[in-house]
């Protein structure tokens, strides 16, 4: 816990899973140009970590404002858990890696650009400070546990582009009171039955496209909502 910064030697090529997990005192980390591989959860639960920087000569990874990306900044890999406030994902990003924002409890808003086509499993798991999120109309899959444990989340927009929603996607989003589901043909979407486990569906308003309300009312998952309305926009 006393560790505040770390200098990884230039002989290291791989940072394993959980390598720096739970280093709660760590505030910054520099990744040398020798690193070619970074495992899942390598920097998870590092509550004080505000900056991950990468040697500019590294051929696989890069950093911008203390956030870890692939070299071309098309994939956002890890946002340090100590980041706070608003975060805007750059327009160059097309994929959000699994667990990339996990446990970023101090982030209050995240803007996802419509350049993003894929969001990995657990990407925003336990982002407890997040109050609302708009998934852009470029995303087709909502993976396992993407928003699980986002206990501050009150509203969400699910775009018409979505064709697949996986296990526990919105599990324990206990404050969710408004879902704008823009999917016109809900019968064609693959949906796991427990996506809203732990949510208070009796107090959450589900707004749906004009003419689709009957399909939602008879849907094995969405029929559990007590309040289904036609979306006003």
């Amino acid at each position: 816990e006393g560790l505040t910064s770390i200098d990884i030697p230039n002989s290291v090529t791989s940072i394993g899973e959980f390598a720096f997990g739970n280093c709660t005192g760590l505030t910054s980390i520099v990744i040398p140009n020798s690193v070619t591989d970074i495992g899942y959860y390598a920097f998870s639960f590092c509550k004080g970590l505000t900056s991950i920087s990468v040697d500019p000569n590294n051929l696989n990874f890069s950093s911008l404002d203390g956030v870890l990306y692939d070299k071309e900044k098309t994939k956002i890999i890890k946002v340090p858990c100590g980041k706070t406030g608003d975060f805007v994902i750059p327009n160059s990003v097309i994929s959000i890696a699994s667990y990339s924002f996990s446990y970023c409890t101090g982030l209050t808003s995240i803007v996802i650009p419509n350049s993003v086509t894929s969001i990995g499993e657990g990407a925003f798991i336990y982002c407890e400070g997040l109050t609302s999120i708009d998934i852009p109309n470029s995303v087709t899959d909502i993976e396992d546990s993407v928003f699980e444990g986002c206990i501050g989340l009150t509203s969400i927009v699910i775009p018409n582009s979505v064709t697949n929603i996986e296990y526990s996607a919105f599990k324990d989003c206990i404050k969710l009171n408004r879902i704008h589901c823009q999917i016109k043909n809900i019968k064609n979407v693959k949906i796991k039955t427990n996506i809203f486990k732990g949510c208070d569906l009796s107090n959450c308003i589900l707004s749906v496209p004009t003419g689709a309300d009957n399909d939602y009312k008879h849907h094995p998952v969405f029929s559990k909502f007590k309040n289904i309305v036609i979306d006003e926009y």
Side-chain angles (χ1 to χ4, degrees):
E1 294 212 0
L3 193 66
T4 56
S5 71
I6 195 146
D7 218 0
I8 302 169
N10 211 11
S11 52
V12 172
T13 59
S14 179
I15 298 173
E17 292 186 17
F18 291 104
F20 299 100
N22 283 326
C23 292
T24 51
L26 193 63
T27 57
S28 67
I29 193 159
V30 179
I31 294 168
N33 68 359
S34 53
V35 170
T36 58
D37 184 60
I38 299 172
Y40 272 150
Y41 278 126
F43 312 106
S44 281
F45 315 113
C46 299
K47 292 192 181 82
L49 187 66
T50 55
S51 171
I52 302 168
S53 53
V54 180
D55 184 309
N57 296 318
N58 190 300
L59 298 175
N60 297 279
F61 300 103
S62 64
S63 59
L64 178 68
D65 299 330
V67 174
L68 179 66
Y69 296 85
D70 67 346
K71 186 66 178 176
E72 305 299 324
K73 295 189 177 63
T74 59
K75 184 179 202 173
I76 190 162
I77 298 172
K78 186 63 192 143
V79 178
C81 294
K83 280 263 186 205
T84 57
D86 302 341
F87 188 85
V88 178
I89 298 174
N91 282 326
S92 58
V93 171
I94 54 175
S95 78
I96 299 172
S98 298
Y99 305 105
S100 50
F101 287 82
S102 61
Y103 298 92
C104 287
T105 54
L107 287 182
T108 48
S109 91
I110 300 168
V111 176
I112 307 172
N114 59 12
S115 54
V116 169
T117 57
S118 101
I119 301 174
E121 68 176 80
F124 303 102
I125 194 168
Y126 292 102
C127 284
E128 295 177 352
L130 203 57
T131 56
S132 70
I133 195 97
D134 288 6
I135 302 166
N137 207 16
S138 45
V139 172
T140 56
D141 293 85
I142 298 175
E143 299 290 351
D144 295 351
S145 305
V146 168
F147 299 102
E148 181 176 337
C150 291
I151 57 173
L153 201 59
T154 58
S155 73
I156 190 139
V157 174
I158 302 172
N160 188 44
S161 52
V162 169
T163 57
N164 183 40
I165 308 178
E166 289 292 346
Y167 292 108
S168 306
F170 304 100
K171 185 181 175 208
D172 296 334
C173 292
I174 52 174
K175 284 194 185 159
L176 207 53
N177 59 33
R178 188 76 190 227
I179 299 170
H180 295 279
C181 192
Q182 297 172 341
I183 301 169
K184 293 185 174 75
N185 199 338
I186 198 68
K187 290 190 283 196
N188 290 351
V189 180
K190 292 196 193 87
I191 299 175
K192 297 296 192 293
T193 54
N194 73 341
I195 62 167
F196 296 112
K197 190 176 182 191
C199 300
D200 182 8
L201 302 190
S202 58
N203 287 311
C204 183
I205 297 169
L206 174 69
S207 55
V208 303
T210 306
D213 51 326
N214 210 34
D215 286 345
Y216 279 88
K217 283 170 183 162
H218 293 93
H219 190 275
V221 173
F222 289 100
S223 61
K224 296 184 175 78
F225 283 84
K226 301 280 187 289
N227 199 343
I228 299 176
V229 300
I230 301 296
D231 216 328
E232 43 328 319
Y233 70 81

